Amino acid sequence: MAYTKEDIIRLVREEEIEFIRMQFTDIFGQMKNVAITASQVEKAVNNQVMFDGSSIEGFTRIHESDQCLYPDLDSFLILPPEVAGGRVARMFCDVYNTDGTPFVGDPRGVLRRALRRAHSMGFDEFNIGPELEFFLFEADEDGRATTRTKDEAGYFDLGPLDHGEATRREISLNLEKMGFEIEASHHENAPGQHEIDFKYTGAIDGADKIMTFRLTTKSVAQKNGLHATFMPKPVYNIAGNGMHLNMSLFKDGKNVFYDPNGERKLSKTAYSFIAGILDHVQGFTAVTNPLVNSYKRLGGGHEAPRYRAWSASNRSALVRIPAARGQATRVELRSPDPSCNPYLAVAVCLAAGLDGIARGLTPPPEITGDIYSMDDATRRDNGIHCLPDTLKDALDELEKDALVLDVLGEHVARQFIKGRLKEWNEYQTRVSSWELEKYLVIY
């Protein structure tokens, strides 16, 4: 919905809003906000709310700390009381420097730059449809998270096996109150695992919705005495959490991936977009799968898509083309997980696809067989290679991909790599429970 400054000032007064959350995201995908009272709304809509950027990891240094929040007026939303705990509204914000220039480290700005590249190539719109998976676990008597669940359900089961059904339903209803069009919700493969799918939307709005989705899910779960987690692989030997990303490009209101006369009714543009994704996926995996734990999911079986291949229907492929055609034609990337920064993840995926289009790339032959059941020699013969095995491997690949580095920009790329290397080094030196169980008695 389009809002003017006057609309927002009026709504805050008419709806008796008490607080407004000025929300933004750090480089690592964590939601941040500056909360203001309703009396400051005019200041907010006139881009006069400031904060200390040096307190945000990866933003600015202490001697250049002041930054400004420019709210996206169209993102104004009155939050349900179940999510916010009172009469609270929110606006997503872009981060600016005090001289009025966009801050180069703002993830929303990274995505805006990628979209400008699409527009310069003649494309009007880039739509995304993310599918987020999450676990609902029990909290202990002190409210701390556990990995316990009494849930015994599997794919598409329902109560009484699905103990999280009521909470999942409540999450869906609260999301609908906030303007989401919920297309489906269901129990996923693992005990305690769930998925809620919402209708595709534009890239910026879609990334905003991912952030809202995560916050809403955690808030409703906590209210119900549960803990919701989007951690990629919280429990050994069961399925992990993915965030399949459906993508489509439009020009003059028409889906450019669709060609009624093309092979599989896909256009040359669609094939080049697929080729660009496959060409750069090694380089952008650190962005779409940013945690040490992400690679426990990608390497842990349970249909996690770790092989660089594409198919029109095969769900073991990294890139899949769902059956729908016409305006619903889309490319589905199955590797991202919901711990990623959605602005950066969508930006690098778009840029990779656009690079494929600009260079007129052609993807390798479609893989129709079950990639998981192939041995290494068969995969090699078919030109199927693995994604990076670890976060460190993925960061090494990122540093070799000039396009991905350029999309992120020098500041974001440097701070992202620095932060994730710090996490990797901490992981490498930490003694795990597995090591204690394996070695403490024997040696």
Side-chain angles (χ1 to χ4, degrees), residues 376-412:
D376 291 342
T378 304
R379 282 193 284 265
R380 278 196 302 271
D381 291 343
N382 282 277
I384 302 171
H385 303 287
C386 277
L387 294 180
D389 288 325
T390 68
L391 177 60
K392 179 61 167 62
D393 294 337
L395 291 169
D396 290 343
E397 293 292 337
L398 169 59
E399 292 195 271
K400 292 188 285 188
D401 194 310
L403 176 88
V404 178
L405 292 173
D406 182 65
V407 172
L408 296 175
E410 194 272 335
H411 179 97
V412 171

Side-chain angles (χ1 to χ4, degrees), residues 425-432 435:
N425 291 331
E426 181 182 345
Y427 169 69
Q428 285 288 88
T429 56
R430 184 69 61 88
V431 178
S432 68
E435 291 170 282

